[in-house]
């Protein structure tokens, strides 16, 4: 069985965090919930590079908003994909640091799960480098 992908899920609203955590866990993800950006940043600081598969956070939070959290997390782990979700904002420019932004009204649970699936798959990249080999070999045969 494949190891579970680990998602650091951040929201200052405990109810939203609980629902999102449940949604992700029932789809087979391992979730580390955090109720503040500061708490989430501590998790990132203490984790090994590559051990987190996604940072999923709310945009508007007290002390440190989602943009700042993503910016700081990417300084610590440049390869960490990040998704910002907002229940109040529908303009992308408010979430410029994230790889994906789901604005107000556009983040149905199904859409969010699909975006997450694509982001965590992209992080891993191709399984083995030799998959590219037959393509190159065919190109050489065609060119000859």
């Amino acid at each position: 069985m494949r190891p579970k992908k680990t998602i650091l899920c951040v929201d200052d609203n405990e109810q939203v965090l609980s629902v999102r955590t449940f949604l992700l866990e029932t789809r087979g993800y391992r979730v580390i919930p955090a109720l503040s950006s500061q708490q989430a940043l501590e998790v990132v600081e203490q984790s090994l590079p590559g051990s987190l598969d996604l940072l999923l956070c709310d945009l508007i939070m007290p002390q440190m908003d989602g943009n700042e959290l993503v910016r700081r997390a990417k300084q610590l782990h440049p390869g960490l994909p990040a998704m910002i979700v907002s229940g109040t904002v529908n303009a992308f420019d408010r979430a410029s640091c994230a790889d994906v932004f789901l604005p107000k009204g556009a983040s149905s649970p199904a859409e969010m799960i699909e975006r997450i699936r694509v982001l965590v798959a992209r992080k891993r990249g191709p399984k083995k480098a030799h998959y590219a080999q037959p393509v190159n070999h065919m190109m050489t045969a065609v060119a000859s």
Side-chain angles (χ1 to χ4, degrees):
M1 191 168 144
R2 294 180 307 162
K4 290 183 176 182
K5 305 283 187 184
T6 302
I7 297 174
L8 175 56
C9 190
V10 192
D11 201 302
D12 60 310
N13 180 321
E14 201 167 339
Q15 188 174 5
V16 170
L17 182 62
S18 177
V19 168
R20 214 168 267 155
T21 297
F22 176 78
L23 177 71
L24 293 167
E25 286 178 343
T26 57
R27 304 259 178 337
Y29 294 101
R30 179 174 167 257
V31 179
I32 301 171
L35 277 167
S36 71
S37 294
Q38 194 53 50
Q39 187 183 359
L41 208 51
E42 288 169 15
V43 170
V44 174
E45 287 169 350
Q46 294 167 11
S47 64
L48 294 169
S51 62
L52 296 173
D53 295 292
L54 178 68
L55 169 59
L56 173 64
C57 66
D58 188 22
L59 176 60
I60 299 174
M61 294 185 285
Q63 282 87 46
M64 185 190 318
D65 74 358
N67 266 329
E68 183 62 15
L69 170 60
V70 168
R71 192 183 66 72
R72 291 188 188 187
K74 284 184 175 276
Q75 283 178 335
L76 296 165
H77 297 281
L80 177 63
M83 178 187 294
I84 292 179
V85 180
S86 178
T88 54
V89 176
N90 57 13
F92 178 75
D93 59 1
R94 291 292 307 274
S96 57
C97 293
D99 298 301
V100 173
F101 172 65
L102 287 182
K104 179 181 181 179
S107 54
S108 71
E111 182 181 0
M112 186 176 76
I113 291 295
E114 179 58 20
R115 295 278 185 100
I116 288 170
R117 189 188 66 72
V118 169
L119 265 179
V120 297
R122 193 178 338 152
K123 175 186 177 262
R124 291 293 180 221
K127 295 262 188 271
K128 295 216 165 53
H130 76 268
Y131 285 129
Q133 206 58 30
V135 174
N136 293 339
H137 181 67
M138 281 183 1
M139 295 303 273
T140 309
V142 172
S144 314

